[in-house]
Amino acid sequence: MKRNYAALLPIAVFLVFYLGAGIAFRDFYVMPAIVGFLIALFVAFLQNRALSFDEKVSVIARGLADENIITMCLIFLAAGAFSGIVSAAGGADSTVTLALHAVPPSFSVVGLFLIGCFISTAMGTSVGTVTVLVPFAVGIADRTGYSLALCLAACVSGAMFGDNLSMISDTTIAAVRTQGCGMKDKFKMNFFIVLPAAVVAAGIYLAVTLNSTPAPLELEPITGAMVLQVVPYLLVLVGALIGFNIFLVLIAGILASIVIGLATGMFAFSEIFNLMNSGITSMYDITVISIVVSCIGSLIKEGGGIQAVLELVKSHIKSAKSAQLGIAAIVAGVDIATANNTIAIVMSGSLAKEISTEYGIEPRRTASILDIFASVVQGLIPYGAQLLYASAGATALLASGSISSVEIIPYMYYPVLMAVSAILFIVFSRGKKK
């Protein structure tokens, strides 16, 4: 297939509309990503006059028939159902309360980071984790005197840890399915890359608060119901790590959440399906975006756009190590433009697959690099959902004043350390040839 840079025009159109609207209105959520992608799809249809409209539809259909795309979308919906029902069953709030009971006040900031790591790994959503933890962060900052920006950064950093690792995170699902590797294999490699970063980040959060003498926290007493409400998270986490089929693991988590929610009186039987639907609905955007991006990618590839980028990247690649750094740069750049790490992975996935195949890089390694560097950028951009939710949520709870997402960034130690750890891994780890 001949290279054709003009075939990349749909991506440029998306970036112009999406970034342009964000800059013009100073709000990167003023234009929904799906609208930008639909405009890009329209442009893709106007290109490549060698194919008729019906032939272009056939190209799209073949791309959508890929089992990775179908599986990815189904897992998104199943993960959404689990997230909706387990949150209604009280799992997230109980997990936070139990964890804070086990953490002394002087360790509350590092405790927020570690709690965020666990909850986000179990829930599979960084934004959901931030939403749950922000009220606790505001309360801890108010009662202990710790900087609010520091407490919020600990929450967001912990949220990015799990978002990058969780078996049911949309970023993990996208990275694994686009590269064709096992979730358990990607988790193991990813975990050992980011573990040093998490340990050092925890040490920093501990060091900056160690010499203070904060007041005790006022928490709800521990009940048996709280312990039960954490079980579905543990069930999904352990089942996924063992290597059980992710659909079966999620179904088990859904059933456990239903039983526990009914037993503890968190919801009535008649509410079950609506609660699951609320979680599924929250996944509609990323599911539809994945489908539309796949359509755009199919047309771009057919027109020679992927080949053009591949040859351009390859011209600067001298080895497998530089290929991995190239993949990291691509996904990081796309995330800066889109402010969404899942979209960045979906958009970069096919190109990363081509590069990794060319240079014999293991699929699990490529999947880890995609997920890590998308999360690094997502945790540091002030217009990303995680920092915006943290600042907006905290501001809403403050009696007076406000805090911006920019104020939180200086305390976001973990994403920076994650990037350093991943780069060192790429440079000094040989990896296995496919």
Side-chain angles (χ1 to χ4, degrees):
M1 182 180 293
K2 293 183 179 180
R3 66 183 181 185
N4 178 17
Y5 287 103
L8 298 170
L9 181 61
I11 295 177
V13 168
F14 167 76
L15 295 179
V16 168
F17 272 90
Y18 190 80
L19 280 178
I23 294 170
F25 294 98
R26 297 182 180 181
D27 180 1
F28 281 84
Y29 293 90
V30 70
M31 168 175 275
I34 184 59
V35 175
F37 281 122
L38 285 173
I39 295 171
L41 180 59
F42 175 73
V43 173
F45 263 107
L46 294 178
Q47 292 184 297
N48 197 355
R49 295 183 179 180
L51 298 179
S52 67
F53 179 83
D54 290 340
E55 288 172 328
K56 291 173 184 176
V57 171
S58 296
V59 169
I60 285 176
R62 288 195 297 272
L64 289 176
D66 186 283
E67 67 172 305
N68 289 319
I69 298 297
I70 295 172
T71 304
M72 179 170 63
C73 292
L74 291 175
I75 293 176
F76 281 154
L77 298 178
F82 170 71
S83 178
I85 196 70
V86 74
S87 297
D93 290 339
S94 293
T95 300
V96 172
T97 302
L98 288 172
L100 288 176
H101 267 288
V103 177
S106 57
F107 290 78
S108 54
V109 173
V110 68
L112 281 172
F113 171 68
L114 297 176
I115 294 166
C117 290
F118 174 79
I119 293 179
S120 57
T121 304
M123 289 177 67
T125 166
S126 53
V127 172
T129 301
V130 170
T131 302
V132 168
L133 283 180
V134 160
F136 292 92
V138 173
I140 287 173
D142 180 56
R143 297 171 193 169
T144 63
Y146 293 140
S147 162
L148 176 58
L150 175 66
C151 293
L152 292 174
C155 294
V156 180
S157 290
M160 297 315 300
F161 174 89
D163 190 30
N164 170 235
L165 277 176
S166 175
M167 299 286 191
I168 59 174
S169 167
D170 46 8
T171 60
T172 295
I173 295 166
V176 166
R177 299 316 304 184
T178 57
Q179 302 310 305
C181 64
M183 286 192 177
K184 184 173 70 170
D185 295 331
K186 183 264 186 187
F187 177 89
K188 288 179 179 178
M189 175 161 283
N190 203 154
F191 179 75
F192 287 110
I193 295 173
V194 302
L195 179 61
V199 171
V200 175
I204 294 174
Y205 284 125
L206 181 61
V208 298
T209 58
L210 195 58
N211 294 325
S212 58
T213 53
L217 297 175
E218 297 178 8
L219 299 170
E220 296 179 54
I222 296 176
T223 64
M226 286 184 181
V227 177
L228 279 176
Q229 287 162 350
V230 178
V231 170
Y233 284 140
L234 297 175
L235 186 64
V236 169
L237 188 59
V238 173
L241 287 175
I242 292 173
F244 288 147
N245 181 283
I246 189 64
F247 286 111
L248 296 179
V249 169
L250 288 170
I251 290 171
I254 290 169
L255 293 176
S257 300
I258 290 173
V259 171
I260 291 170
L262 291 174
T264 55
M266 294 300 292
F267 49 75
F269 186 84
S270 59
E271 299 176 290
I272 291 173
F273 302 108
N274 279 328
L275 292 171
M276 290 173 62
N277 181 65
S278 66
I280 293 170
T281 302
S282 69
M283 288 292 195
Y284 281 176
D285 279 357
I286 191 58
T287 302
V288 174
I289 285 172
S290 298
I291 292 171
V292 174
V293 168
S294 176
C295 294
I296 296 170
S298 298
L299 292 173
I300 289 175
K301 185 174 183 179
E302 184 70 21
I306 297 296
Q307 184 65 26
V309 175
L310 188 58
E311 290 183 16
L312 177 63
V313 173
K314 284 170 63 178
S315 68
H316 298 282
I317 291 175
K318 306 302 180 184
S319 64
K321 292 186 188 299
S322 56
Q324 293 170 71
L325 292 172
I327 291 170
I330 290 170
V331 74
V334 175
D335 193 82
I336 289 172
T338 61
N340 187 303
N341 44 345
T342 307
I343 293 175
I345 293 169
V346 172
M347 289 183 70
S348 309
S350 60
L351 181 58
K353 180 69 173 175
E354 297 275 357
I355 296 172
S356 62
T357 300
E358 177 74 17
Y359 287 89
I361 304 167
E362 288 182 284
R364 62 174 183 165
R365 196 180 183 94
T366 306
S368 297
I369 291 170
L370 283 172
D371 206 346
I372 287 171
F373 283 94
S375 294
V376 166
V377 172
Q378 190 67 22
L380 292 174
I381 51 177
Y383 51 89
Q386 291 77 6
L387 287 173
L388 287 176
Y389 270 85
S391 60
T395 298
L397 293 170
L398 293 175
S400 62
S402 63
I403 183 168
S404 72
S405 58
V406 176
E407 294 176 74
I408 304 172
I409 293 176
Y411 302 99
M412 290 294 295
Y413 307 124
Y414 176 69
V416 176
L417 291 167
M418 182 164 54
V420 172
S421 184
I423 291 171
L424 291 175
F425 173 81
I426 291 171
V427 172
F428 294 105
S429 174
R430 290 185 178 183
K432 297 178 181 178
K433 291 285 186 179
K434 280 176 58 180

